[in-house]
PDB file of all heavy atoms in Angstrom:
ATOM      1  N   THR A   1      -6.465 -10.673  -7.839  1.00 96.00           N
ATOM      2  CA  THR A   1      -6.272  -9.493  -8.699  1.00 96.00           C
ATOM      3  C   THR A   1      -7.421  -8.511  -8.487  1.00 96.00           C
ATOM      4  O   THR A   1      -7.217  -7.292  -8.408  1.00 96.00           O
ATOM      5  CB  THR A   1      -6.197  -9.917 -10.172  1.00 96.00           C
ATOM      6  OG1 THR A   1      -5.065 -10.772 -10.354  1.00 96.00           O
ATOM      7  CG2 THR A   1      -6.062  -8.700 -11.085  1.00 96.00           C
ATOM      8  N   LYS A   2      -8.628  -9.043  -8.368  1.00 96.00           N
ATOM      9  CA  LYS A   2      -9.806  -8.203  -8.115  1.00 96.00           C
ATOM     10  C   LYS A   2      -9.673  -7.490  -6.764  1.00 96.00           C
ATOM     11  O   LYS A   2      -9.960  -6.284  -6.649  1.00 96.00           O
ATOM     12  CB  LYS A   2     -11.067  -9.068  -8.132  1.00 96.00           C
ATOM     13  CG  LYS A   2     -12.363  -8.325  -7.843  1.00 96.00           C
ATOM     14  CD  LYS A   2     -13.549  -9.274  -8.033  1.00 96.00           C
ATOM     15  CE  LYS A   2     -14.868  -8.613  -7.638  1.00 96.00           C
ATOM     16  NZ  LYS A   2     -14.999  -8.389  -6.199  1.00 96.00           N
ATOM     17  N   LEU A   3      -9.220  -8.232  -5.737  1.00 96.00           N
ATOM     18  CA  LEU A   3      -9.028  -7.613  -4.424  1.00 96.00           C
ATOM     19  C   LEU A   3      -7.956  -6.530  -4.491  1.00 96.00           C
ATOM     20  O   LEU A   3      -8.086  -5.481  -3.850  1.00 96.00           O
ATOM     21  CB  LEU A   3      -8.622  -8.672  -3.388  1.00 96.00           C
ATOM     22  CG  LEU A   3      -9.689  -9.699  -2.976  1.00 96.00           C
ATOM     23  CD1 LEU A   3      -9.140 -10.622  -1.883  1.00 96.00           C
ATOM     24  CD2 LEU A   3     -10.970  -9.010  -2.480  1.00 96.00           C
ATOM     25  N   ARG A   4      -6.909  -6.784  -5.269  1.00 95.00           N
ATOM     26  CA  ARG A   4      -5.852  -5.783  -5.425  1.00 95.00           C
ATOM     27  C   ARG A   4      -6.408  -4.498  -6.040  1.00 95.00           C
ATOM     28  O   ARG A   4      -6.048  -3.400  -5.633  1.00 95.00           O
ATOM     29  CB  ARG A   4      -4.738  -6.332  -6.326  1.00 95.00           C
ATOM     30  CG  ARG A   4      -3.690  -7.144  -5.611  1.00 95.00           C
ATOM     31  CD  ARG A   4      -2.719  -7.741  -6.623  1.00 95.00           C
ATOM     32  NE  ARG A   4      -1.428  -8.081  -6.023  1.00 95.00           N
ATOM     33  CZ  ARG A   4      -1.223  -9.107  -5.228  1.00 95.00           C
ATOM     34  NH1 ARG A   4      -2.234  -9.909  -4.964  1.00 95.00           N
ATOM     35  NH2 ARG A   4      -0.034  -9.343  -4.710  1.00 95.00           N
ATOM     36  N   GLU A   5      -7.253  -4.641  -7.026  1.00 95.00           N
ATOM     37  CA  GLU A   5      -7.792  -3.470  -7.727  1.00 95.00           C
ATOM     38  C   GLU A   5      -8.785  -2.692  -6.872  1.00 95.00           C
ATOM     39  O   GLU A   5      -9.074  -1.532  -7.148  1.00 95.00           O
ATOM     40  CB  GLU A   5      -8.446  -3.923  -9.039  1.00 95.00           C
ATOM     41  CG  GLU A   5      -7.417  -4.443 -10.046  1.00 95.00           C
ATOM     42  CD  GLU A   5      -8.052  -5.084 -11.267  1.00 95.00           C
ATOM     43  OE1 GLU A   5      -9.289  -5.221 -11.282  1.00 95.00           O
ATOM     44  OE2 GLU A   5      -7.306  -5.440 -12.206  1.00 95.00           O
ATOM     45  N   GLU A   6      -9.302  -3.334  -5.828  1.00 94.00           N
ATOM     46  CA  GLU A   6     -10.216  -2.661  -4.908  1.00 94.00           C
ATOM     47  C   GLU A   6      -9.481  -2.088  -3.706  1.00 94.00           C
ATOM     48  O   GLU A   6     -10.076  -1.408  -2.869  1.00 94.00           O
ATOM     49  CB  GLU A   6     -11.288  -3.648  -4.427  1.00 94.00           C
ATOM     50  CG  GLU A   6     -12.218  -4.144  -5.533  1.00 94.00           C
ATOM     51  CD  GLU A   6     -13.138  -5.259  -5.059  1.00 94.00           C
ATOM     52  OE1 GLU A   6     -12.928  -5.757  -3.925  1.00 94.00           O
ATOM     53  OE2 GLU A   6     -14.053  -5.634  -5.810  1.00 94.00           O
ATOM     54  N   ALA A   7      -8.182  -2.403  -3.592  1.00 94.00           N
ATOM     55  CA  ALA A   7      -7.400  -1.978  -2.429  1.00 94.00           C
ATOM     56  C   ALA A   7      -6.442  -0.842  -2.794  1.00 94.00           C
ATOM     57  O   ALA A   7      -6.337  -0.446  -3.963  1.00 94.00           O
ATOM     58  CB  ALA A   7      -6.605  -3.178  -1.895  1.00 94.00           C
ATOM     59  N   TYR A   8      -5.762  -0.334  -1.774  1.00 94.00           N
ATOM     60  CA  TYR A   8      -4.703   0.657  -1.964  1.00 94.00           C
ATOM     61  C   TYR A   8      -3.383  -0.033  -1.611  1.00 94.00           C
ATOM     62  O   TYR A   8      -3.145  -0.378  -0.459  1.00 94.00           O
ATOM     63  CB  TYR A   8      -4.928   1.878  -1.065  1.00 94.00           C
ATOM     64  CG  TYR A   8      -6.144   2.678  -1.434  1.00 94.00           C
ATOM     65  CD1 TYR A   8      -7.368   2.434  -0.816  1.00 94.00           C
ATOM     66  CD2 TYR A   8      -6.070   3.667  -2.415  1.00 94.00           C
ATOM     67  CE1 TYR A   8      -8.500   3.162  -1.160  1.00 94.00           C
ATOM     68  CE2 TYR A   8      -7.197   4.400  -2.764  1.00 94.00           C
ATOM     69  CZ  TYR A   8      -8.409   4.141  -2.133  1.00 94.00           C
ATOM     70  OH  TYR A   8      -9.528   4.855  -2.491  1.00 94.00           O
ATOM     71  N   ILE A   9      -2.536  -0.242  -2.601  1.00 95.00           N
ATOM     72  CA  ILE A   9      -1.286  -0.981  -2.408  1.00 95.00           C
ATOM     73  C   ILE A   9      -0.115  -0.144  -2.912  1.00 95.00           C
ATOM     74  O   ILE A   9      -0.153   0.408  -4.013  1.00 95.00           O
ATOM     75  CB  ILE A   9      -1.319  -2.335  -3.158  1.00 95.00           C
ATOM     76  CG1 ILE A   9      -2.466  -3.205  -2.619  1.00 95.00           C
ATOM     77  CG2 ILE A   9       0.015  -3.063  -3.027  1.00 95.00           C
ATOM     78  CD1 ILE A   9      -2.666  -4.486  -3.392  1.00 95.00           C
ATOM     79  N   ASP A  10       0.913  -0.062  -2.076  1.00 94.00           N
ATOM     80  CA  ASP A  10       2.116   0.674  -2.468  1.00 94.00           C
ATOM     81  C   ASP A  10       3.329  -0.175  -2.099  1.00 94.00           C
ATOM     82  O   ASP A  10       3.476  -0.586  -0.942  1.00 94.00           O
ATOM     83  CB  ASP A  10       2.172   2.017  -1.737  1.00 94.00           C
ATOM     84  CG  ASP A  10       3.339   2.858  -2.219  1.00 94.00           C
ATOM     85  OD1 ASP A  10       3.695   2.747  -3.403  1.00 94.00           O
ATOM     86  OD2 ASP A  10       3.889   3.619  -1.402  1.00 94.00           O
ATOM     87  N   VAL A  11       4.166  -0.470  -3.079  1.00 95.00           N
ATOM     88  CA  VAL A  11       5.355  -1.300  -2.859  1.00 95.00           C
ATOM     89  C   VAL A  11       6.591  -0.416  -2.998  1.00 95.00           C
ATOM     90  O   VAL A  11       6.727   0.343  -3.969  1.00 95.00           O
ATOM     91  CB  VAL A  11       5.414  -2.457  -3.879  1.00 95.00           C
ATOM     92  CG1 VAL A  11       6.712  -3.245  -3.728  1.00 95.00           C
ATOM     93  CG2 VAL A  11       4.212  -3.375  -3.694  1.00 95.00           C
ATOM     94  N   LYS A  12       7.490  -0.508  -2.025  1.00 94.00           N
ATOM     95  CA  LYS A  12       8.689   0.319  -2.033  1.00 94.00           C
ATOM     96  C   LYS A  12       9.583  -0.040  -3.218  1.00 94.00           C
ATOM     97  O   LYS A  12       9.669  -1.191  -3.634  1.00 94.00           O
ATOM     98  CB  LYS A  12       9.460   0.118  -0.727  1.00 94.00           C
ATOM     99  CG  LYS A  12      10.681   1.015  -0.618  1.00 94.00           C
ATOM    100  CD  LYS A  12      11.372   0.857   0.723  1.00 94.00           C
ATOM    101  CE  LYS A  12      12.602   1.765   0.778  1.00 94.00           C
ATOM    102  NZ  LYS A  12      13.298   1.665   2.063  1.00 94.00           N
ATOM    103  N   GLU A  13      10.244   0.954  -3.751  1.00 93.00           N
ATOM    104  CA  GLU A  13      11.156   0.741  -4.870  1.00 93.00           C
ATOM    105  C   GLU A  13      12.252  -0.242  -4.465  1.00 93.00           C
ATOM    106  O   GLU A  13      12.798  -0.167  -3.358  1.00 93.00           O
ATOM    107  CB  GLU A  13      11.779   2.083  -5.278  1.00 93.00           C
ATOM    108  CG  GLU A  13      12.632   1.998  -6.536  1.00 93.00           C
ATOM    109  CD  GLU A  13      13.161   3.359  -6.965  1.00 93.00           C
ATOM    110  OE1 GLU A  13      12.687   4.383  -6.418  1.00 93.00           O
ATOM    111  OE2 GLU A  13      14.042   3.388  -7.831  1.00 93.00           O
ATOM    112  N   GLY A  14      12.551  -1.155  -5.345  1.00 93.00           N
ATOM    113  CA  GLY A  14      13.549  -2.181  -5.040  1.00 93.00           C
ATOM    114  C   GLY A  14      12.925  -3.515  -4.696  1.00 93.00           C
ATOM    115  O   GLY A  14      13.613  -4.535  -4.645  1.00 93.00           O
ATOM    116  N   TYR A  15      11.611  -3.510  -4.450  1.00 94.00           N
ATOM    117  CA  TYR A  15      10.869  -4.745  -4.164  1.00 94.00           C
ATOM    118  C   TYR A  15       9.839  -4.966  -5.268  1.00 94.00           C
ATOM    119  O   TYR A  15       9.327  -4.002  -5.850  1.00 94.00           O
ATOM    120  CB  TYR A  15      10.169  -4.659  -2.809  1.00 94.00           C
ATOM    121  CG  TYR A  15      11.129  -4.598  -1.640  1.00 94.00           C
ATOM    122  CD1 TYR A  15      11.628  -3.372  -1.196  1.00 94.00           C
ATOM    123  CD2 TYR A  15      11.540  -5.760  -0.998  1.00 94.00           C
ATOM    124  CE1 TYR A  15      12.525  -3.312  -0.133  1.00 94.00           C
ATOM    125  CE2 TYR A  15      12.431  -5.703   0.069  1.00 94.00           C
ATOM    126  CZ  TYR A  15      12.922  -4.484   0.500  1.00 94.00           C
ATOM    127  OH  TYR A  15      13.808  -4.425   1.547  1.00 94.00           O
ATOM    128  N   THR A  16       9.523  -6.232  -5.524  1.00 92.00           N
ATOM    129  CA  THR A  16       8.620  -6.564  -6.630  1.00 92.00           C
ATOM    130  C   THR A  16       7.438  -7.386  -6.149  1.00 92.00           C
ATOM    131  O   THR A  16       7.606  -8.393  -5.450  1.00 92.00           O
ATOM    132  CB  THR A  16       9.362  -7.366  -7.723  1.00 92.00           C
ATOM    133  OG1 THR A  16      10.476  -6.603  -8.174  1.00 92.00           O
ATOM    134  CG2 THR A  16       8.440  -7.677  -8.892  1.00 92.00           C
ATOM    135  N   ASP A  17       6.251  -6.933  -6.550  1.00 94.00           N
ATOM    136  CA  ASP A  17       5.026  -7.702  -6.312  1.00 94.00           C
ATOM    137  C   ASP A  17       4.665  -8.387  -7.631  1.00 94.00           C
ATOM    138  O   ASP A  17       4.134  -7.758  -8.544  1.00 94.00           O
ATOM    139  CB  ASP A  17       3.902  -6.760  -5.858  1.00 94.00           C
ATOM    140  CG  ASP A  17       2.549  -7.468  -5.793  1.00 94.00           C
ATOM    141  OD1 ASP A  17       2.523  -8.723  -5.770  1.00 94.00           O
ATOM    142  OD2 ASP A  17       1.521  -6.762  -5.762  1.00 94.00           O
ATOM    143  N   SER A  18       4.960  -9.682  -7.718  1.00 94.00           N
ATOM    144  CA  SER A  18       4.742 -10.392  -8.981  1.00 94.00           C
ATOM    145  C   SER A  18       3.268 -10.579  -9.310  1.00 94.00           C
ATOM    146  O   SER A  18       2.928 -10.973 -10.419  1.00 94.00           O
ATOM    147  CB  SER A  18       5.428 -11.769  -8.935  1.00 94.00           C
ATOM    148  OG  SER A  18       4.883 -12.566  -7.892  1.00 94.00           O
ATOM    149  N   GLY A  19       2.389 -10.267  -8.356  1.00 93.00           N
ATOM    150  CA  GLY A  19       0.950 -10.398  -8.618  1.00 93.00           C
ATOM    151  C   GLY A  19       0.264  -9.074  -8.852  1.00 93.00           C
ATOM    152  O   GLY A  19      -0.971  -8.991  -8.864  1.00 93.00           O
ATOM    153  N   ALA A  20       1.041  -8.012  -9.039  1.00 93.00           N
ATOM    154  CA  ALA A  20       0.467  -6.668  -9.193  1.00 93.00           C
ATOM    155  C   ALA A  20      -0.420  -6.563 -10.427  1.00 93.00           C
ATOM    156  O   ALA A  20      -0.175  -7.186 -11.449  1.00 93.00           O
ATOM    157  CB  ALA A  20       1.585  -5.640  -9.262  1.00 93.00           C
ATOM    158  N   SER A  21      -1.475  -5.761 -10.291  1.00 91.00           N
ATOM    159  CA  SER A  21      -2.372  -5.471 -11.406  1.00 91.00           C
ATOM    160  C   SER A  21      -2.112  -4.039 -11.874  1.00 91.00           C
ATOM    161  O   SER A  21      -1.877  -3.145 -11.054  1.00 91.00           O
ATOM    162  CB  SER A  21      -3.833  -5.610 -10.968  1.00 91.00           C
ATOM    163  OG  SER A  21      -4.703  -5.024 -11.923  1.00 91.00           O
ATOM    164  N   PRO A  22      -2.163  -3.800 -13.172  1.00 90.00           N
ATOM    165  CA  PRO A  22      -1.947  -2.429 -13.671  1.00 90.00           C
ATOM    166  C   PRO A  22      -3.039  -1.465 -13.214  1.00 90.00           C
ATOM    167  O   PRO A  22      -2.873  -0.245 -13.298  1.00 90.00           O
ATOM    168  CB  PRO A  22      -1.959  -2.599 -15.195  1.00 90.00           C
ATOM    169  CG  PRO A  22      -2.679  -3.887 -15.439  1.00 90.00           C
ATOM    170  CD  PRO A  22      -2.363  -4.761 -14.280  1.00 90.00           C
ATOM    171  N   ASN A  23      -4.151  -2.022 -12.710  1.00 88.00           N
ATOM    172  CA  ASN A  23      -5.271  -1.176 -12.286  1.00 88.00           C
ATOM    173  C   ASN A  23      -5.277  -0.890 -10.785  1.00 88.00           C
ATOM    174  O   ASN A  23      -6.256  -0.394 -10.246  1.00 88.00           O
ATOM    175  CB  ASN A  23      -6.600  -1.845 -12.664  1.00 88.00           C
ATOM    176  CG  ASN A  23      -6.731  -2.032 -14.159  1.00 88.00           C
ATOM    177  OD1 ASN A  23      -6.315  -1.179 -14.931  1.00 88.00           O
ATOM    178  ND2 ASN A  23      -7.287  -3.164 -14.573  1.00 88.00           N
ATOM    179  N   GLU A  24      -4.161  -1.238 -10.098  1.00 85.00           N
ATOM    180  CA  GLU A  24      -4.108  -0.978  -8.658  1.00 85.00           C
ATOM    181  C   GLU A  24      -4.020   0.522  -8.386  1.00 85.00           C
ATOM    182  O   GLU A  24      -3.509   1.284  -9.199  1.00 85.00           O
ATOM    183  CB  GLU A  24      -2.877  -1.667  -8.049  1.00 85.00           C
ATOM    184  CG  GLU A  24      -3.026  -3.178  -7.937  1.00 85.00           C
ATOM    185  CD  GLU A  24      -1.781  -3.824  -7.353  1.00 85.00           C
ATOM    186  OE1 GLU A  24      -0.934  -3.107  -6.787  1.00 85.00           O
ATOM    187  OE2 GLU A  24      -1.642  -5.054  -7.478  1.00 85.00           O
ATOM    188  N   THR A  25      -4.513   0.905  -7.192  1.00 80.00           N
ATOM    189  CA  THR A  25      -4.467   2.307  -6.771  1.00 80.00           C
ATOM    190  C   THR A  25      -3.480   2.451  -5.626  1.00 80.00           C
ATOM    191  O   THR A  25      -3.553   1.715  -4.642  1.00 80.00           O
ATOM    192  CB  THR A  25      -5.851   2.779  -6.289  1.00 80.00           C
ATOM    193  OG1 THR A  25      -6.801   2.559  -7.336  1.00 80.00           O
ATOM    194  CG2 THR A  25      -5.819   4.244  -5.910  1.00 80.00           C
ATOM    195  N   LYS A  26      -2.549   3.398  -5.745  1.00 75.00           N
ATOM    196  CA  LYS A  26      -1.590   3.624  -4.678  1.00 75.00           C
ATOM    197  C   LYS A  26      -2.188   4.560  -3.636  1.00 75.00           C
ATOM    198  O   LYS A  26      -2.890   5.513  -3.983  1.00 75.00           O
ATOM    199  CB  LYS A  26      -0.301   4.233  -5.233  1.00 75.00           C
ATOM    200  CG  LYS A  26       0.547   3.250  -6.024  1.00 75.00           C
ATOM    201  CD  LYS A  26       1.913   3.834  -6.292  1.00 75.00           C
ATOM    202  CE  LYS A  26       2.806   2.796  -6.982  1.00 75.00           C
ATOM    203  NZ  LYS A  26       4.183   3.306  -7.152  1.00 75.00           N
ATOM    204  N   PRO A  27      -1.899   4.311  -2.359  1.00 66.00           N
ATOM    205  CA  PRO A  27      -2.438   5.193  -1.315  1.00 66.00           C
ATOM    206  C   PRO A  27      -1.788   6.570  -1.352  1.00 66.00           C
ATOM    207  O   PRO A  27      -0.627   6.716  -1.744  1.00 66.00           O
ATOM    208  CB  PRO A  27      -2.079   4.449  -0.022  1.00 66.00           C
ATOM    209  CG  PRO A  27      -0.886   3.626  -0.382  1.00 66.00           C
ATOM    210  CD  PRO A  27      -1.080   3.232  -1.807  1.00 66.00           C
ATOM    211  N   VAL A  28      -2.547   7.554  -0.951  1.00 62.00           N
ATOM    212  CA  VAL A  28      -2.030   8.924  -0.886  1.00 62.00           C
ATOM    213  C   VAL A  28      -1.299   9.106   0.436  1.00 62.00           C
ATOM    214  O   VAL A  28      -1.796   8.720   1.496  1.00 62.00           O
ATOM    215  CB  VAL A  28      -3.190   9.946  -0.986  1.00 62.00           C
ATOM    216  CG1 VAL A  28      -2.642  11.363  -0.879  1.00 62.00           C
ATOM    217  CG2 VAL A  28      -3.942   9.752  -2.298  1.00 62.00           C
ATOM    218  N   GLU A  29      -0.095   9.664   0.371  1.00 60.00           N
ATOM    219  CA  GLU A  29       0.710   9.872   1.574  1.00 60.00           C
ATOM    220  C   GLU A  29       0.152  11.066   2.350  1.00 60.00           C
ATOM    221  O   GLU A  29       0.218  12.207   1.906  1.00 60.00           O
ATOM    222  CB  GLU A  29       2.159  10.151   1.177  1.00 60.00           C
ATOM    223  CG  GLU A  29       3.132  10.156   2.338  1.00 60.00           C
ATOM    224  CD  GLU A  29       3.444   8.754   2.809  1.00 60.00           C
ATOM    225  OE1 GLU A  29       3.102   7.803   2.091  1.00 60.00           O
ATOM    226  OE2 GLU A  29       4.024   8.618   3.897  1.00 60.00           O
ATOM    227  N   THR A  30      -0.452  10.809   3.506  1.00 58.00           N
ATOM    228  CA  THR A  30      -1.016  11.869   4.340  1.00 58.00           C
ATOM    229  C   THR A  30      -0.452  11.755   5.743  1.00 58.00           C
ATOM    230  O   THR A  30       0.171  10.751   6.105  1.00 58.00           O
ATOM    231  CB  THR A  30      -2.550  11.740   4.409  1.00 58.00           C
ATOM    232  OG1 THR A  30      -2.882  10.493   5.048  1.00 58.00           O
ATOM    233  CG2 THR A  30      -3.166  11.773   3.017  1.00 58.00           C
ATOM    234  N   ALA A  31      -0.719  12.773   6.546  1.00 53.00           N
ATOM    235  CA  ALA A  31      -0.262  12.742   7.935  1.00 53.00           C
ATOM    236  C   ALA A  31      -0.922  11.590   8.682  1.00 53.00           C
ATOM    237  O   ALA A  31      -0.293  10.913   9.500  1.00 53.00           O
ATOM    238  CB  ALA A  31      -0.594  14.078   8.610  1.00 53.00           C
ATOM    239  N   ALA A  32      -2.210  11.354   8.390  1.00 54.00           N
ATOM    240  CA  ALA A  32      -2.929  10.259   9.048  1.00 54.00           C
ATOM    241  C   ALA A  32      -2.332   8.913   8.662  1.00 54.00           C
ATOM    242  O   ALA A  32      -2.195   8.006   9.494  1.00 54.00           O
ATOM    243  CB  ALA A  32      -4.409  10.297   8.664  1.00 54.00           C
ATOM    244  N   ALA A  33      -1.936   8.786   7.392  1.00 52.00           N
ATOM    245  CA  ALA A  33      -1.338   7.526   6.927  1.00 52.00           C
ATOM    246  C   ALA A  33      -0.002   7.293   7.618  1.00 52.00           C
ATOM    247  O   ALA A  33       0.319   6.171   8.018  1.00 52.00           O
ATOM    248  CB  ALA A  33      -1.164   7.554   5.415  1.00 52.00           C
ATOM    249  N   LYS A  34       0.786   8.365   7.758  1.00 56.00           N
ATOM    250  CA  LYS A  34       2.075   8.239   8.432  1.00 56.00           C
ATOM    251  C   LYS A  34       1.895   7.844   9.895  1.00 56.00           C
ATOM    252  O   LYS A  34       2.661   7.053  10.439  1.00 56.00           O
ATOM    253  CB  LYS A  34       2.846   9.556   8.337  1.00 56.00           C
ATOM    254  CG  LYS A  34       3.346   9.870   6.934  1.00 56.00           C
ATOM    255  CD  LYS A  34       4.122  11.173   6.922  1.00 56.00           C
ATOM    256  CE  LYS A  34       4.639  11.492   5.506  1.00 56.00           C
ATOM    257  NZ  LYS A  34       5.377  12.773   5.472  1.00 56.00           N
ATOM    258  N   GLU A  35       0.864   8.418  10.521  1.00 62.00           N
ATOM    259  CA  GLU A  35       0.583   8.090  11.923  1.00 62.00           C
ATOM    260  C   GLU A  35       0.193   6.617  12.062  1.00 62.00           C
ATOM    261  O   GLU A  35       0.618   5.927  12.986  1.00 62.00           O
ATOM    262  CB  GLU A  35      -0.531   8.988  12.462  1.00 62.00           C
ATOM    263  CG  GLU A  35      -0.786   8.782  13.947  1.00 62.00           C
ATOM    264  CD  GLU A  35      -1.871   9.719  14.470  1.00 62.00           C
ATOM    265  OE1 GLU A  35      -2.259  10.660  13.740  1.00 62.00           O
ATOM    266  OE2 GLU A  35      -2.331   9.493  15.598  1.00 62.00           O
ATOM    267  N   THR A  36      -0.622   6.126  11.116  1.00 57.00           N
ATOM    268  CA  THR A  36      -1.033   4.723  11.129  1.00 57.00           C
ATOM    269  C   THR A  36       0.176   3.811  10.940  1.00 57.00           C
ATOM    270  O   THR A  36       0.318   2.797  11.619  1.00 57.00           O
ATOM    271  CB  THR A  36      -2.059   4.446  10.020  1.00 57.00           C
ATOM    272  OG1 THR A  36      -3.210   5.263  10.239  1.00 57.00           O
ATOM    273  CG2 THR A  36      -2.468   2.979  10.013  1.00 57.00           C
ATOM    274  N   ASP A  37       1.074   4.179  10.014  1.00 54.00           N
ATOM    275  CA  ASP A  37       2.286   3.399   9.789  1.00 54.00           C
ATOM    276  C   ASP A  37       3.108   3.319  11.071  1.00 54.00           C
ATOM    277  O   ASP A  37       3.630   2.257  11.436  1.00 54.00           O
ATOM    278  CB  ASP A  37       3.140   4.032   8.685  1.00 54.00           C
ATOM    279  CG  ASP A  37       2.551   3.789   7.302  1.00 54.00           C
ATOM    280  OD1 ASP A  37       1.603   2.979   7.201  1.00 54.00           O
ATOM    281  OD2 ASP A  37       3.046   4.396   6.339  1.00 54.00           O
ATOM    282  N   ALA A  38       3.237   4.473  11.756  1.00 56.00           N
ATOM    283  CA  ALA A  38       4.032   4.515  12.984  1.00 56.00           C
ATOM    284  C   ALA A  38       3.437   3.599  14.052  1.00 56.00           C
ATOM    285  O   ALA A  38       4.159   2.888  14.754  1.00 56.00           O
ATOM    286  CB  ALA A  38       4.108   5.949  13.501  1.00 56.00           C
ATOM    287  N   LYS A  39       2.098   3.617  14.168  1.00 57.00           N
ATOM    288  CA  LYS A  39       1.431   2.751  15.152  1.00 57.00           C
ATOM    289  C   LYS A  39       1.646   1.277  14.819  1.00 57.00           C
ATOM    290  O   LYS A  39       1.906   0.459  15.695  1.00 57.00           O
ATOM    291  CB  LYS A  39      -0.068   3.070  15.201  1.00 57.00           C
ATOM    292  CG  LYS A  39      -0.393   4.397  15.854  1.00 57.00           C
ATOM    293  CD  LYS A  39      -1.894   4.652  15.851  1.00 57.00           C
ATOM    294  CE  LYS A  39      -2.229   5.986  16.521  1.00 57.00           C
ATOM    295  NZ  LYS A  39      -3.691   6.273  16.494  1.00 57.00           N
ATOM    296  N   ASN A  40       1.520   0.946  13.548  1.00 59.00           N
ATOM    297  CA  ASN A  40       1.708  -0.446  13.131  1.00 59.00           C
ATOM    298  C   ASN A  40       3.143  -0.913  13.354  1.00 59.00           C
ATOM    299  O   ASN A  40       3.386  -2.038  13.779  1.00 59.00           O
ATOM    300  CB  ASN A  40       1.335  -0.625  11.655  1.00 59.00           C
ATOM    301  CG  ASN A  40      -0.163  -0.599  11.434  1.00 59.00           C
ATOM    302  OD1 ASN A  40      -0.932  -0.970  12.306  1.00 59.00           O
ATOM    303  ND2 ASN A  40      -0.587  -0.156  10.261  1.00 59.00           N
ATOM    304  N   LEU A  41       4.098  -0.027  13.080  1.00 55.00           N
ATOM    305  CA  LEU A  41       5.495  -0.364  13.317  1.00 55.00           C
ATOM    306  C   LEU A  41       5.758  -0.584  14.802  1.00 55.00           C
ATOM    307  O   LEU A  41       6.477  -1.510  15.186  1.00 55.00           O
ATOM    308  CB  LEU A  41       6.401   0.756  12.796  1.00 55.00           C
ATOM    309  CG  LEU A  41       6.777   0.708  11.316  1.00 55.00           C
ATOM    310  CD1 LEU A  41       7.507   1.979  10.925  1.00 55.00           C
ATOM    311  CD2 LEU A  41       7.638  -0.506  11.038  1.00 55.00           C
ATOM    312  N   LYS A  42       5.151   0.259  15.640  1.00 58.00           N
ATOM    313  CA  LYS A  42       5.329   0.137  17.078  1.00 58.00           C
ATOM    314  C   LYS A  42       4.795  -1.201  17.573  1.00 58.00           C
ATOM    315  O   LYS A  42       5.426  -1.878  18.390  1.00 58.00           O
ATOM    316  CB  LYS A  42       4.605   1.284  17.788  1.00 58.00           C
ATOM    317  CG  LYS A  42       4.887   1.345  19.283  1.00 58.00           C
ATOM    318  CD  LYS A  42       4.233   2.578  19.903  1.00 58.00           C
ATOM    319  CE  LYS A  42       4.530   2.656  21.386  1.00 58.00           C
ATOM    320  NZ  LYS A  42       3.889   3.840  22.015  1.00 58.00           N
ATOM    321  N   LYS A  43       3.639  -1.622  17.039  1.00 57.00           N
ATOM    322  CA  LYS A  43       3.051  -2.908  17.424  1.00 57.00           C
ATOM    323  C   LYS A  43       3.974  -4.059  17.031  1.00 57.00           C
ATOM    324  O   LYS A  43       4.184  -4.999  17.790  1.00 57.00           O
ATOM    325  CB  LYS A  43       1.687  -3.095  16.750  1.00 57.00           C
ATOM    326  CG  LYS A  43       0.587  -2.231  17.322  1.00 57.00           C
ATOM    327  CD  LYS A  43      -0.716  -2.476  16.558  1.00 57.00           C
ATOM    328  CE  LYS A  43      -1.820  -1.569  17.074  1.00 57.00           C
ATOM    329  NZ  LYS A  43      -3.076  -1.767  16.305  1.00 57.00           N
TER     330      LYS A  43
END
């Protein structure tokens, strides 16, 4: 839970993270983030 609160976690609607903390921070959607997602998907 502590690691979750120190991280940036975003779960898509329709899926459930049963260990979520109310103090979690969602990542901001940026062009750099989208580029990173694309690279990870490609891998």
Side-chain angles (χ1 to χ4, degrees):
T1 298
K2 178 174 175 290
L3 291 183
R4 274 175 158 74
E5 292 172 354
E6 295 172 351
Y8 293 93
I9 299 174
D10 185 32
V11 175
K12 184 176 179 179
E13 186 176 348
Y15 294 88
T16 303
D17 172 17
S18 61
S21 166
N23 299 322
E24 286 179 15
T25 304
K26 287 192 175 185
V28 178
E29 190 76 13
T30 63
K34 290 181 180 179
E35 185 178 348
T36 299
D37 285 350
K39 288 179 179 178
N40 286 331
L41 275 172
K42 188 175 181 181
K43 287 179 183 178

